[in-house]
Amino acid sequence: MQYRLVLILVLLSFKLSAQQKQFSSDDNGKFIYYEVVEKAAGKDSLFLRANTFIDLYIKSLKKQSTTDTSIFAKGVMVIDKTILVASHPSGEVNYKFTFEAKDKKYRFWLTDFEYISYGRDRYSNYVPTTTVATPLEKTPGKLSAGEWKDIIEAAYSKTAKFADNFKKALATNQTEKQNKKKETISTKKW
């Protein structure tokens, strides 16, 4: 009897630890990652810091349009598949990023997540297998449901990491660090 009780507790703890955070859904049923941050800097400072952050992530985040208080951008996250020690990209997730600033607070959200799977080409490079993206909200058939769950969890963890980096960038004044001129070292003068 004691062994059964211990076994039930162990299984229950595995089940609870296996549950991960999931995306929320917006009014249209699409996945969304939404955050509002209070007690921030002024509106102009926040807007400048957000622009600087997007300029740093130029390879994965492209500005679409800006207004005096908001920024709209499109981004790409590469999802990796790890088998034992080796890792390779299994696909990419495209998303839309929106940032809005007010005095002493801001909000941002990522939405319209779409997945494009990768495959190997004849040169053994991982490239997109199709140009048609599949929304993450769309549940696949039973055959690939486990793999799709892993893709959604990886997309959520990358989104949460991106959000943490964005909040850290807006909390610190990175523009002053970038404006400092780096001294050049001359080996001709002693």
Side-chain angles (χ1 to χ4, degrees):
M1 184 67 177
Q2 293 174 354
Y3 294 112
R4 288 183 188 171
L5 182 61
V6 170
L7 181 64
I8 290 172
L9 288 175
V10 168
L11 290 176
L12 185 62
S13 67
F14 278 128
K15 184 162 180 83
L16 290 176
S17 68
Q19 292 179 353
Q20 301 229 348
K21 291 188 175 185
Q22 293 287 328
F23 286 108
S24 301
S25 296
D26 65 357
D27 298 337
N28 300 327
K30 293 186 177 188
F31 285 158
I32 187 169
Y33 187 92
Y34 179 83
E35 281 197 45
V36 177
V37 178
E38 306 256 348
K39 298 181 182 177
K43 177 178 74 168
D44 296 334
S45 177
L46 288 172
F47 190 75
L48 182 63
R49 291 176 188 177
N51 268 327
T52 304
F53 178 82
I54 291 173
D55 291 341
L56 289 175
Y57 279 81
I58 194 73
K59 290 183 180 178
S60 63
L61 196 59
K62 308 278 187 210
K63 273 189 231 177
Q64 297 296 312
S65 64
T66 59
T67 63
D68 59 340
T69 60
S70 62
I71 299 172
F72 304 100
K74 285 189 176 184
V76 176
M77 289 182 274
V78 177
I79 304 297
D80 295 325
K81 186 174 191 175
T82 305
I83 300 173
L84 296 175
V85 180
S87 174
H88 66 84
S90 66
E92 67 183 34
V93 175
N94 301 325
Y95 61 92
K96 292 183 181 175
F97 173 76
T98 306
F99 167 78
E100 293 180 350
K102 288 187 178 180
D103 203 28
K104 303 291 183 191
K105 66 180 179 178
Y106 65 92
R107 67 181 182 167
F108 66 95
W109 63 92
L110 288 84
T111 188
D112 293 339
F113 294 97
E114 297 177 332
Y115 179 73
I116 297 176
S117 64
Y118 277 6
R120 285 190 178 208
D121 64 357
R122 61 184 177 179
Y123 305 110
S124 293
N125 296 326
Y126 288 97
V127 295
T129 57
T130 181
T131 58
V132 179
T134 305
L136 282 184
E137 307 85 36
K138 183 180 176 184
T139 55
K142 291 181 181 179
L143 293 176
S144 61
E147 185 178 343
W148 193 254
K149 180 182 168 192
D150 293 340
I151 291 168
I152 291 174
E153 287 176 1
Y156 183 83
S157 66
K158 290 224 177 199
T159 302
K161 185 177 179 182
F162 173 82
D164 288 340
N165 290 341
F166 185 70
K167 289 189 290 188
K168 285 178 188 175
L170 267 62
T172 60
N173 198 355
Q174 288 184 340
T175 55
E176 289 179 1
K177 293 177 185 175
Q178 287 184 351
N179 290 340
K180 290 182 181 177
K181 188 176 181 181
K182 293 183 179 178
E183 293 181 22
T184 57
I185 299 173
S186 175
T187 58
K188 295 178 182 176
K189 295 180 182 179
W190 287 57

